[in-house]
Structure formats: C-alpha cells, structure tokens
Amino acid sequence: DLAAMNDKFVDQVNMTAEIAHSRELVEAELEDLTQKLFTEANTMVAAEKKARAEAEKTAGHLRNVIADLETRLSSETMQSHELKDRIEKMMHGDGFRMASHAAALMAGMKAYPSSPGAQAPIRLDDQLLTEFREFAIQTQSQRQTNYMNMSYMKSVVSADVEPCLRFGPHPRISSRNVLDAIALNRIHIEEMTPQIAAEMRRLQQTSEPYNPNGCQACGRECQQCTYRFRMSNRADSEWIQVDTMCRDRLVAVCEFYGFVRYLRQGIFASRSIMELYMETIRLRLSMFYARIGA
C-alpha cells in the first residue's frame, strides 16, 4: 500500500509540474501577445496622430487657398464690374471713337480729326501684322512657348507697355516689378472704401519719404487716392495706393495681357487673325490713352 501511495504521489507531483510548466508557457505567450497588442496599439495611435496632424495641416492650407481665392474672386468681380462700366461709357464717349477708329482701319480708311470731311487711305504695318500672325499661331499651338521673347511681344512691350508703366518723372515703384506681376497674373487692383483709405493714409505716415496723401506709384499729391493694388497672390502682401490716372495705366496693361493670356489658352481659336489683330490695336490704343491721361 505504501508503494502504491508513493507512486500516486510521484504521479501527482509530475502532473503538478506539468501543469505549472504549461501555466508558465501560457503566461509567457499571453505576456508576449499583450506586448505585441500594446505595440500595435501605440503604432496605430501614433499613425492616427500623424494622419490627423497632416489632415489638419492640409485643411489649414486649403482654408488659406480658399480665402485667397475668395479674395481674388472679389477682386476679379470688382474689376469685371468696372470693366462693364467702362464699356458702357465707351459706347457713349471716347470708346465709341476708338471703336470707330478700329472699324475704319478694318475698312482700310480713317477719318482724321483735324479735317472732319476728309478721308485718307491708311495701311497696316505689314511687318507687325506678320509678327502678330506668327505670335498668334505659335502661342495657340505651343502653349509652353516663351512668348515674351517673340518679336511681336517685344515690339508691343517697348512701344506701349513700358511707356504706359512709366509713372511720371519721379516714380516710387519699379515698372519692371509691376510688369512682371502683370505678366504672371499676380496683380490685384481694387477700389478702396473710405475706411481702407484712412488706414492706408495712417500706414503711409510711417513711410519714408512721408507722402500720406500721394500716389505711391507716381508720387503726385492727390486729395483722394481711391485705388490700391498689390503685386502678389499672398494675402499678406503689401498694398500700394494709387490715383485714378495710374490705376487706368495698370488696368490698360492688364487688359492687354489678359487678352494675350486668353489667346494662349485657345479661347479665341474661332476668330480670324485680322479680328484678333484689330483687338490688339484697340488695346494698344487704350494704353496710349491711359498714358496721356485721356
């Protein structure tokens, strides 16, 4: 009996040892699994935080883009209203004379103001027309062409654009910087409210030289500089106040480059070369009138 009890005791001890060993294996496996779960959980939390930070950064960037687009849309809307008003005025004033001038050119005749009853034939500049034809064809067929280096653009820039952007004998801004901003479609022009005009005058009091009531383009004194512009798409870029004459110069050049931009985009593909050329004559005439203050 004693031997049987001893065998049973040994079996019990062995079973207990096996159970303990199995328990240790299970606990080790459970601990390893728990560690892996915590590691994966921490990784997922870190990835979620990173994704959230990137999403917030992207959202902030998009909000800034939307705000900038809203600002640009407001500026473009105001400029379109101003352009509409100018067109309506042109139909009853100097613009009608400009349109009549272009129509007369299309007919090959022009009535000179100095002799109202006289008409004399006029010829277009064949070389300039040829340059424009090459310019129009290449810019519409090859969108990546560096159009500023083409003969037609060089002629117009030197004859009309640069003189139009020379803001008097004592300019306060660089005409080259203004032209670059216009060519890149980064210039914004808007009419100032009385509150904004007052704030602009306050800021100008700290500028050197002191000129709070003057045009910041030509430097002339003016009682009411009701327009301002900036040369960047950034919302925090500096605004520059200008008088009506300098604003008209900027708008005339912007209209010409807007036409060139639409031409490059193929918007005028259905129009003939002669129609497009006559439109450039009208736009160049606008720059001339703006330059002489008419």
Side-chain angles (χ1 to χ4, degrees), residues 35-47:
Q35 184 64 31
K36 289 182 178 179
L37 288 174
F38 274 112
T39 302
E40 291 181 1
N42 290 334
T43 302
M44 292 175 64
V45 171

Side-chain angles (χ1 to χ4, degrees), residues 18-176:
E18 290 179 0
I19 293 173
H21 180 67
S22 298
R23 179 179 179 182
E24 290 177 357
L25 291 177
V26 171
E27 288 179 349
E29 185 177 357
L30 180 62
E31 182 178 357
D32 183 61
L33 182 60
T34 303
Q35 184 64 31
K36 289 182 178 179
L37 288 174
F38 274 112
T39 302
E40 291 181 1
N42 290 334
T43 302
M44 292 175 64
V45 171
E48 192 274 337
K49 287 183 178 179
K50 183 179 179 180
R52 179 181 297 178
E54 291 180 352
E56 291 177 352
K57 182 179 179 180
T58 302
H61 174 69
L62 291 176
R63 282 193 293 268
N64 293 335
V65 171
I66 291 173
D68 185 55
L69 289 175
E70 289 177 345
T71 302
R72 294 180 61 183
L73 177 61
S74 176
S75 176
E76 293 289 342
T77 301
M78 186 191 69
Q79 291 185 35
S80 66
H81 289 321
E82 292 179 357
L83 181 59
K84 179 180 177 181
D85 293 339
R86 289 187 63 186
I87 292 174
E88 292 177 350
K89 292 178 181 178
M90 286 170 60
M91 297 303 296
H92 304 286
D94 291 340
F96 181 76
R97 176 164 51 86
M98 292 167 59
S100 300
H101 176 84
L105 285 174
M106 287 290 290
M109 302 290 291
K110 184 180 83 171
Y112 290 94
S114 58
S115 54
Q119 289 186 344
I122 186 170
R123 296 180 180 179
L124 299 176
D125 188 331
D126 292 336
Q127 180 179 350
L128 191 60
L129 178 58
T130 300
E131 291 177 355
F132 175 76
R133 180 180 290 106
E134 295 175 354
F135 170 77
I137 294 173
Q138 291 188 29
T139 53
Q140 291 184 90
S141 60
Q142 303 176 12
R143 300 290 174 81
Q144 302 302 321
T145 302
N146 187 359
Y147 68 97
M148 290 299 295
N149 291 329
M150 300 185 69
S151 299
Y152 175 76
M153 283 301 297
K154 288 182 177 180
S155 299
V156 176
V157 169
S158 63
D160 298 297
V161 175
E162 289 180 346
C164 192
L165 293 180
R166 293 193 188 107
F167 300 102
H170 305 291
R172 295 170 61 90
I173 58 177
S174 169
S175 297
R176 173 52 56 183

